[in-house]
Amino acid sequence: MMNKTSATLMLQTIMVLMEKQNASDVTNFPGSYGEDIERCYGIYGCFSKAYPWTENRPDNYFPVPPEAMGVRYPTFSRRNRKIPVLLEADNVDKIQNANIDPRGPFYVISHGFIDGGHKKWEVLGLSNLDNFHFIGHSLGAHLGGYCGHALQKKYNLKLGRITGLDPAAPYFSKTVTLVRLDRSDAKYVDVIHSNAVPLYFSGFGITEPIGHVDFYPNGGSTQPGCKSASQQRPSGDIYQQVLRVSCNHERSYEYFTESIAPSCPFLAVQCDSYDTFLAGNCTTCDHKHLCVPMGYHSHDIYKRLHAAELVDTNSNVALYLMTGGAKPYCRAHYEVKMKVSNSSESHTHGPETGKLSITLVDRNNNKSDTRFLDDEQKYYKPGDIETRMVAVKDTGHPPLSVIVEWKYETNLFNPMTWRILKSPSIFIDYMKISSIEYNTDITVCPKMNKPVVANLPTMMKTKYCKFNK
């Protein structure tokens, strides 16, 4: 485990790998008398303390000398999967003799705030960098941006891809593109936002879309399975506090790792906002709502969309999806449209307050996990139509039937929840279940128009809908 200076060390590492900015790139505002605003470090170039590096960034320090950092470049290949070759940034011979196949592909992984990697780029004699994929978490995501910018400026080479895993927000949010990762740094930039909330709410990730595609799993701010800040035990050790609240921040690289060989498509849908997505307003993959798998395989789909002129490399696509709270995280998405019966029996029974849950059953009788349509109890009255997006573990096939349960809780202070002469139940006319991943939909109904009684699972099938006609 790294010590408590790791955050400062990482910031300094990033600064060391910045490229010297020429007069057209920076405005050199004079500092105080006798203050130098530029410092040089041999092959690493010179680093400025002038605009824009100091705009909205109170820390105004030069990087420490490279030899004081102990930066390492462990390199793995098919020939050395377990024991890496340790490259040296200024040792060209060692890089050329590292058994690296120039045909690629190449993956460079850069750590974030409390983790630990980087590698020299330009000595392999490559005509292009299409086969290079830089994967950076947190501060490492912006390091990828610096590398992409420097390669274009110094060698006229453009990286094939940069993946930003919850790029760091402090001192990077709301800055000019030169200071942070942006889509000009590579031919394809994809970003996974998992902790995009302000730092004072224990958020470390950047909020704004900065790539060609930006994924916002579960809204992009907090992730299921991670405790909220209010649930954390207080501690006087700030390092331990960072570790506890970093669950949401670290979930981005866990999603990416799973996306290499996912248990389901990890499909994300273009939508105006996460709330709009949850409301079931973006449930079809079409020209208005593009669908791209989150993570490793997103580039292949993006290239197809670009070839079909459905995306513009100068603009951004924001996509949303839901995940589970434990591995495997991937989930299948369903739009659920439910109508409360408008029958005389339903009117006689009257409105109900409670929660509806569904369990999907496929052709092999495999059941998904059970999901509530709403987290809190909801007031339903005859004739109401509700539409929600839910995500469940994929069974491998689209559903054919649905198990519905009505959860009812009495609240002493809410007369609407009191039941004395009638049993807690709800009359459901139908449920329409539409799959995004499978592009299928079914409509199911309760048998003989019977109500769904509290805590009594009710099987709803398509063939039962004929009784409602």
Side-chain angles (χ1 to χ4, degrees):
M1 181 176 290
M2 300 181 69
N3 60 32
K4 300 176 186 180
T5 64
S6 58
T8 303
L9 185 61
M10 182 56 191
L11 283 169
Q12 293 167 339
T13 303
I14 288 179
M15 293 296 293
V16 163
L17 292 170
M18 290 179 184
E19 192 63 21
K20 178 181 178 182
Q21 306 304 313
N22 59 33
S24 63
D25 289 328
V26 299
T27 302
N28 291 313
F29 293 112
S32 59
Y33 289 106
E35 179 188 13
D36 62 315
I37 60 172
E38 186 176 77
R39 189 168 295 177
C40 300
Y41 295 94
I43 64 170
Y44 296 101
C46 301
F47 307 92
S48 172
K49 286 167 54 173
Y51 174 88
W53 303 106
T54 54
E55 183 184 33
N56 299 320
R57 311 176 97 197
D59 290 337
N60 193 16
Y61 304 100
F62 285 118
V64 300
E67 59 271 15
M69 294 188 181
V71 180
R72 304 203 311 163
Y73 306 87
T75 304
F76 298 86
S77 69
R78 287 186 172 91
R79 298 179 182 180
N80 54 299
R81 292 176 179 269
K82 295 184 178 181
I83 301 177
V85 175
L86 293 178
L87 303 183
E88 299 173 8
D90 55 353
N91 189 333
V92 175
D93 292 337
K94 193 164 187 176
I95 297 174
Q96 290 177 332
N97 295 324
N99 290 324
I100 299 175
D101 186 345
R103 295 171 297 179
F106 305 93
Y107 301 93
V108 181
I109 301 174
S110 180
H111 63 83
F113 192 76
I114 55 175
D115 300 302
H118 187 73
K119 164 182 154 341
K120 188 75 173 177
W121 293 87
E122 76 280 355
V123 298
L124 293 174
L126 301 172
S127 59
N128 64 71
L129 298 181
D130 289 353
N131 283 336
F132 275 84
H133 182 179
F134 191 109
I135 305 165
H137 175 241
S138 191
L139 295 173
H142 299 299
L143 177 58
Y146 296 154
C147 288
H149 174 78
L151 285 164
Q152 292 179 63
K153 179 181 174 183
K154 190 171 183 179
Y155 301 100
N156 197 30
L157 292 171
K158 195 162 188 176
L159 278 176
R161 178 179 180 183
I162 298 175
T163 295
L165 303 176
D166 210 32
Y171 305 158
F172 294 98
S173 182
K174 308 300 181 184
T175 60
V176 297
T177 57
L178 180 64
V179 176
R180 58 165 173 79
L181 172 66
D182 76 282
R183 59 179 169 269
S184 70
D185 294 323
K187 293 181 180 178
Y188 176 65
V189 177
D190 59 310
V191 180
I192 298 177
H193 302 264
S194 61
N195 192 207
V197 290
L199 184 60
Y200 50 81
F201 287 136
S202 302
F204 296 141
I206 202 165
T207 302
E208 56 261 43
I210 58 176
H212 293 98
V213 296
D214 285 69
F215 298 96
Y216 293 87
N218 307 294
S221 56
T222 58
Q223 305 304 311
C226 290
K227 293 181 180 179
S228 65
S230 62
Q231 294 175 295
Q232 305 292 341
R233 290 183 299 173
S235 170
D237 189 331
I238 188 170
Y239 180 69
Q240 292 300 324
Q241 289 182 24
V242 168
L243 289 179
R244 282 196 291 269
V245 302
S246 63
C247 173
N248 295 299
H249 191 43
E250 294 177 350
R251 191 60 61 84
S252 58
Y253 66 72
E254 295 187 47
Y255 291 155
F256 185 84
T257 301
E258 183 177 315
S259 76
I260 298 172
S263 59
C264 65
F266 246 134
L267 201 63
V269 185
Q270 183 182 15
C271 206
D272 291 336
S273 69
Y274 187 56
D275 287 340
T276 304
F277 173 76
L278 289 180
N281 295 325
C282 308
T283 58
T284 57
C285 298
D286 53 33
H287 293 183
K288 294 182 179 179
H289 305 106
L290 302 177
C291 292
V292 180
M294 180 175 72
Y296 180 77
H297 298 286
S298 68
H299 195 191
D300 293 336
I301 301 302
Y302 184 85
K303 286 188 287 188
R304 294 181 197 173
L305 294 174
H306 183 259
E309 299 183 347
L310 295 176
V311 293
D312 177 2
T313 55
N314 294 319
S315 59
N316 167 268
V317 181
L319 304 109
Y320 300 89
L321 71 158
M322 302 165 73
T323 73
K327 297 178 181 179
Y329 297 110
C330 188
R331 294 292 185 268
H333 297 83
Y334 292 90
E335 178 195 48
V336 180
K337 185 176 182 180
M338 185 274 297
K339 181 182 179 182
V340 181
S341 178
N342 217 7
S343 65
S344 57
E345 293 90 343
S346 180
H347 278 277
T348 300
H349 181 81
E352 278 280 4
T353 299
K355 296 167 62 177
L356 277 168
S357 72
I358 62 170
T359 306
L360 306 183
V361 185
D362 69 13
R363 67 188 186 191
N364 296 322
N365 205 37
N366 293 319
K367 297 179 177 63
S368 72
D369 49 332
T370 300
R371 303 297 299 173
F372 285 103
L373 299 189
D374 291 278
D375 293 332
E376 304 295 332
Q377 291 201 127
K378 185 175 177 60
Y379 179 73
Y380 294 95
K381 61 183 185 296
D384 277 354
I385 297 177
E386 297 287 340
T387 302
R388 292 288 183 271
M389 182 68 72
V390 299
V392 300
K393 288 183 179 180
D394 189 22
T395 65
H397 301 282
L400 293 183
S401 58
V402 183
I403 299 173
V404 181
E405 292 189 64
W406 175 249
K407 299 294 184 180
Y408 169 85
E409 297 177 6
T410 300
N411 187 328
L412 181 63
F413 302 101
N414 185 1
M416 297 297 297
T417 67
W418 298 353
R419 294 292 178 268
I420 299 176
L421 300 179
K422 54 185 177 181
S423 62
S425 57
I426 184 171
F427 286 79
I428 296 177
D429 192 9
Y430 64 83
M431 276 191 178
K432 183 179 180 181
I433 313 292
S434 301
S435 165
I436 294 180
E437 283 79 3
Y438 291 107
N439 193 29
T440 61
D441 59 70
I442 60 169
T443 300
V444 296
C445 305
K447 190 174 184 178
M448 302 297 291
N449 296 319
K450 291 183 179 180
V452 179
V453 180
N455 301 317
L456 182 64
T458 300
M459 179 67 77
M460 296 177 63
K461 299 182 177 182
T462 300
K463 66 180 182 180
Y464 296 156
C465 292
K466 64 183 180 180
F467 296 109
N468 290 358
K469 295 181 180 179

